Each structure stands twice: as C-alpha cells, then as structure tokens.
mmCIF file of all heavy atoms in Angstrom:
data_model
loop_
_atom_site.group_PDB
_atom_site.id
_atom_site.type_symbol
_atom_site.label_atom_id
_atom_site.label_comp_id
_atom_site.label_asym_id
_atom_site.label_seq_id
_atom_site.Cartn_x
_atom_site.Cartn_y
_atom_site.Cartn_z
ATOM 1 N N ILE A 1 84.297 177.235 255.325
ATOM 2 C CA ILE A 1 84.038 176.366 254.167
ATOM 3 C C ILE A 1 85.355 176.119 253.443
ATOM 4 O O ILE A 1 85.988 177.051 252.939
ATOM 5 C CB ILE A 1 83.004 177.017 253.225
ATOM 6 C CG1 ILE A 1 81.675 177.204 253.968
ATOM 7 C CG2 ILE A 1 82.816 176.186 251.963
ATOM 8 C CD1 ILE A 1 80.646 178.006 253.188
ATOM 9 N N ASN A 2 85.750 174.857 253.339
ATOM 10 C CA ASN A 2 87.084 174.505 252.853
ATOM 11 C C ASN A 2 86.995 173.319 251.892
ATOM 12 O O ASN A 2 87.393 172.201 252.221
ATOM 13 C CB ASN A 2 87.966 174.147 254.061
ATOM 14 C CG ASN A 2 89.398 173.892 253.687
ATOM 15 O OD1 ASN A 2 89.892 174.373 252.686
ATOM 16 N ND2 ASN A 2 90.077 173.109 254.510
ATOM 17 N N PRO A 3 86.494 173.534 250.660
ATOM 18 C CA PRO A 3 86.197 172.400 249.779
ATOM 19 C C PRO A 3 87.356 171.913 248.920
ATOM 20 O O PRO A 3 87.202 170.928 248.201
ATOM 21 C CB PRO A 3 85.092 172.957 248.884
ATOM 22 C CG PRO A 3 85.416 174.411 248.770
ATOM 23 C CD PRO A 3 85.980 174.801 250.105
ATOM 24 N N VAL A 4 88.517 172.576 248.946
ATOM 25 C CA VAL A 4 89.626 172.156 248.092
ATOM 26 C C VAL A 4 90.466 171.115 248.823
ATOM 27 O O VAL A 4 90.928 171.338 249.933
ATOM 28 C CB VAL A 4 90.504 173.358 247.687
ATOM 29 C CG1 VAL A 4 91.651 172.881 246.780
ATOM 30 C CG2 VAL A 4 89.675 174.414 246.969
ATOM 31 N N MET A 5 90.676 169.971 248.184
ATOM 32 C CA MET A 5 91.487 168.906 248.770
ATOM 33 C C MET A 5 92.974 169.172 248.500
ATOM 34 O O MET A 5 93.340 170.059 247.739
ATOM 35 C CB MET A 5 91.065 167.555 248.202
ATOM 36 C CG MET A 5 89.612 167.196 248.516
ATOM 37 S SD MET A 5 89.135 165.528 247.976
ATOM 38 C CE MET A 5 89.183 165.729 246.177
ATOM 39 N N GLY A 6 93.820 168.358 249.140
ATOM 40 C CA GLY A 6 95.261 168.562 249.045
ATOM 41 C C GLY A 6 95.824 168.431 247.645
ATOM 42 O O GLY A 6 96.900 168.950 247.354
ATOM 43 N N ASP A 7 95.104 167.738 246.751
ATOM 44 C CA ASP A 7 95.601 167.571 245.377
ATOM 45 C C ASP A 7 95.098 168.662 244.439
ATOM 46 O O ASP A 7 95.325 168.601 243.227
ATOM 47 C CB ASP A 7 95.201 166.195 244.827
ATOM 48 C CG ASP A 7 93.686 165.982 244.795
ATOM 49 O OD1 ASP A 7 92.938 166.901 245.213
ATOM 50 O OD2 ASP A 7 93.246 164.905 244.362
ATOM 51 N N GLY A 8 94.374 169.647 244.972
ATOM 52 C CA GLY A 8 93.907 170.756 244.145
ATOM 53 C C GLY A 8 92.540 170.554 243.538
ATOM 54 O O GLY A 8 92.094 171.388 242.736
ATOM 55 N N LYS A 9 91.868 169.491 243.908
ATOM 56 C CA LYS A 9 90.516 169.239 243.394
ATOM 57 C C LYS A 9 89.481 169.554 244.464
ATOM 58 O O LYS A 9 89.745 169.425 245.659
ATOM 59 C CB LYS A 9 90.376 167.782 242.956
ATOM 60 C CG LYS A 9 91.247 167.415 241.765
ATOM 61 C CD LYS A 9 91.053 165.947 241.393
ATOM 62 C CE LYS A 9 91.933 165.570 240.198
ATOM 63 N NZ LYS A 9 91.773 164.133 239.834
ATOM 64 N N TYR A 10 88.298 169.964 243.999
ATOM 65 C CA TYR A 10 87.195 170.168 244.931
ATOM 66 C C TYR A 10 86.685 168.821 245.446
ATOM 67 O O TYR A 10 86.718 167.806 244.729
ATOM 68 C CB TYR A 10 86.032 170.879 244.247
ATOM 69 C CG TYR A 10 86.277 172.335 243.916
ATOM 70 C CD1 TYR A 10 86.199 172.788 242.604
ATOM 71 C CD2 TYR A 10 86.538 173.270 244.916
ATOM 72 C CE1 TYR A 10 86.391 174.117 242.289
ATOM 73 C CE2 TYR A 10 86.730 174.609 244.605
ATOM 74 C CZ TYR A 10 86.665 175.028 243.297
ATOM 75 O OH TYR A 10 86.853 176.342 242.981
ATOM 76 N N VAL A 11 86.166 168.841 246.673
ATOM 77 C CA VAL A 11 85.523 167.633 247.191
ATOM 78 C C VAL A 11 84.342 167.273 246.284
ATOM 79 O O VAL A 11 83.703 168.155 245.702
ATOM 80 C CB VAL A 11 85.035 167.843 248.634
ATOM 81 C CG1 VAL A 11 86.198 168.020 249.587
ATOM 82 C CG2 VAL A 11 84.079 169.025 248.730
ATOM 83 N N PRO A 12 84.048 165.994 246.109
ATOM 84 C CA PRO A 12 82.966 165.588 245.189
ATOM 85 C C PRO A 12 81.619 166.203 245.534
ATOM 86 O O PRO A 12 80.765 166.368 244.650
ATOM 87 C CB PRO A 12 82.935 164.060 245.340
ATOM 88 C CG PRO A 12 84.317 163.695 245.786
ATOM 89 C CD PRO A 12 84.768 164.827 246.658
ATOM 90 N N SER A 13 81.406 166.558 246.797
ATOM 91 C CA SER A 13 80.093 167.057 247.218
ATOM 92 C C SER A 13 79.864 168.525 246.912
ATOM 93 O O SER A 13 78.755 169.033 247.119
ATOM 94 C CB SER A 13 79.920 166.828 248.726
ATOM 95 O OG SER A 13 80.946 167.501 249.448
ATOM 96 N N LEU A 14 80.868 169.252 246.401
ATOM 97 C CA LEU A 14 80.685 170.679 246.135
ATOM 98 C C LEU A 14 79.687 170.866 244.994
ATOM 99 O O LEU A 14 79.904 170.367 243.889
ATOM 100 C CB LEU A 14 82.007 171.342 245.783
ATOM 101 C CG LEU A 14 81.923 172.851 245.542
ATOM 102 C CD1 LEU A 14 81.642 173.584 246.854
ATOM 103 C CD2 LEU A 14 83.198 173.382 244.893
ATOM 104 N N PRO A 15 78.601 171.606 245.218
ATOM 105 C CA PRO A 15 77.581 171.778 244.178
ATOM 106 C C PRO A 15 78.155 172.383 242.897
ATOM 107 O O PRO A 15 78.808 173.417 242.922
ATOM 108 C CB PRO A 15 76.569 172.729 244.822
ATOM 109 C CG PRO A 15 76.748 172.539 246.284
ATOM 110 C CD PRO A 15 78.204 172.271 246.481
ATOM 111 N N GLY A 16 77.913 171.690 241.788
ATOM 112 C CA GLY A 16 78.270 172.218 240.479
ATOM 113 C C GLY A 16 79.682 171.990 240.019
ATOM 114 O O GLY A 16 79.941 171.951 238.809
ATOM 115 N N PHE A 17 80.635 171.818 240.968
ATOM 116 C CA PHE A 17 82.040 171.766 240.562
ATOM 117 C C PHE A 17 82.815 170.652 241.263
ATOM 118 O O PHE A 17 84.042 170.596 241.170
ATOM 119 C CB PHE A 17 82.716 173.114 240.856
ATOM 120 C CG PHE A 17 81.890 174.301 240.448
ATOM 121 C CD1 PHE A 17 81.242 175.076 241.401
ATOM 122 C CD2 PHE A 17 81.715 174.610 239.111
ATOM 123 C CE1 PHE A 17 80.463 176.164 241.041
ATOM 124 C CE2 PHE A 17 80.932 175.697 238.734
ATOM 125 C CZ PHE A 17 80.299 176.477 239.696
ATOM 126 N N GLY A 18 82.120 169.763 241.952
ATOM 127 C CA GLY A 18 82.781 168.697 242.691
ATOM 128 C C GLY A 18 83.656 167.828 241.805
ATOM 129 O O GLY A 18 83.272 167.459 240.692
ATOM 130 N N GLY A 19 84.862 167.518 242.284
ATOM 131 C CA GLY A 19 85.793 166.658 241.561
ATOM 132 C C GLY A 19 86.684 167.370 240.571
ATOM 133 O O GLY A 19 87.654 166.787 240.082
ATOM 134 N N LEU A 20 86.390 168.636 240.261
ATOM 135 C CA LEU A 20 87.212 169.390 239.311
ATOM 136 C C LEU A 20 88.429 169.971 240.015
ATOM 137 O O LEU A 20 88.386 170.315 241.197
ATOM 138 C CB LEU A 20 86.406 170.541 238.691
ATOM 139 C CG LEU A 20 85.237 170.188 237.784
ATOM 140 C CD1 LEU A 20 84.505 171.466 237.377
ATOM 141 C CD2 LEU A 20 85.729 169.447 236.545
ATOM 142 N N SER A 21 89.536 170.105 239.274
ATOM 143 C CA SER A 21 90.653 170.871 239.812
ATOM 144 C C SER A 21 90.259 172.340 239.811
ATOM 145 O O SER A 21 89.427 172.771 239.000
ATOM 146 C CB SER A 21 91.914 170.673 238.957
ATOM 147 O OG SER A 21 91.838 171.450 237.771
ATOM 148 N N ILE A 22 90.836 173.100 240.711
ATOM 149 C CA ILE A 22 90.421 174.498 240.818
ATOM 150 C C ILE A 22 90.722 175.269 239.537
ATOM 151 O O ILE A 22 89.970 176.175 239.163
ATOM 152 C CB ILE A 22 91.063 175.190 242.032
ATOM 153 C CG1 ILE A 22 92.596 175.187 241.930
ATOM 154 C CG2 ILE A 22 90.601 174.539 243.328
ATOM 155 C CD1 ILE A 22 93.279 176.056 242.982
ATOM 156 N N TRP A 23 91.806 174.910 238.844
ATOM 157 C CA TRP A 23 92.158 175.641 237.621
ATOM 158 C C TRP A 23 91.181 175.284 236.502
ATOM 159 O O TRP A 23 90.794 176.159 235.714
ATOM 160 C CB TRP A 23 93.600 175.335 237.205
ATOM 161 C CG TRP A 23 94.589 175.475 238.328
ATOM 162 C CD1 TRP A 23 95.436 174.522 238.802
ATOM 163 C CD2 TRP A 23 94.829 176.636 239.144
ATOM 164 N NE1 TRP A 23 96.189 174.989 239.850
ATOM 165 C CE2 TRP A 23 95.845 176.293 240.082
ATOM 166 C CE3 TRP A 23 94.292 177.919 239.185
ATOM 167 C CZ2 TRP A 23 96.324 177.190 241.030
ATOM 168 C CZ3 TRP A 23 94.773 178.818 240.139
ATOM 169 C CH2 TRP A 23 95.757 178.454 241.035
ATOM 170 N N ALA A 24 90.776 174.014 236.427
ATOM 171 C CA ALA A 24 89.786 173.623 235.423
ATOM 172 C C ALA A 24 88.414 174.208 235.752
ATOM 173 O O ALA A 24 87.594 174.460 234.856
ATOM 174 C CB ALA A 24 89.703 172.099 235.354
ATOM 175 N N ALA A 25 88.157 174.444 237.042
ATOM 176 C CA ALA A 25 86.857 174.972 237.456
ATOM 177 C C ALA A 25 86.725 176.464 237.204
ATOM 178 O O ALA A 25 85.594 176.976 237.097
ATOM 179 C CB ALA A 25 86.636 174.684 238.941
#
C-alpha cells in the first residue's frame, strides 16, 4: 500500500485523508 504521491500528498482516494500533505495529515 503506497498512497503518498511524489509531492508529499496522499492520493485523493485514501479514506479520510485523501489530498492532504502527510505533515498536515
């Protein structure tokens, strides 16, 4: 399972946290 994109944001489809940067999440 690899939901973090190259820019540091989760893929939009991740339940609950999609589109957030990992630090903001």
Side-chain angles (χ1 to χ4, degrees):
I1 298 172
N2 185 25
V4 181
M5 298 185 292
D7 60 359
K9 294 180 180 179
Y10 289 121
V11 293
S13 59
L14 182 70
F17 316 106
L20 294 175
S21 78
I22 61 170
W23 311 122

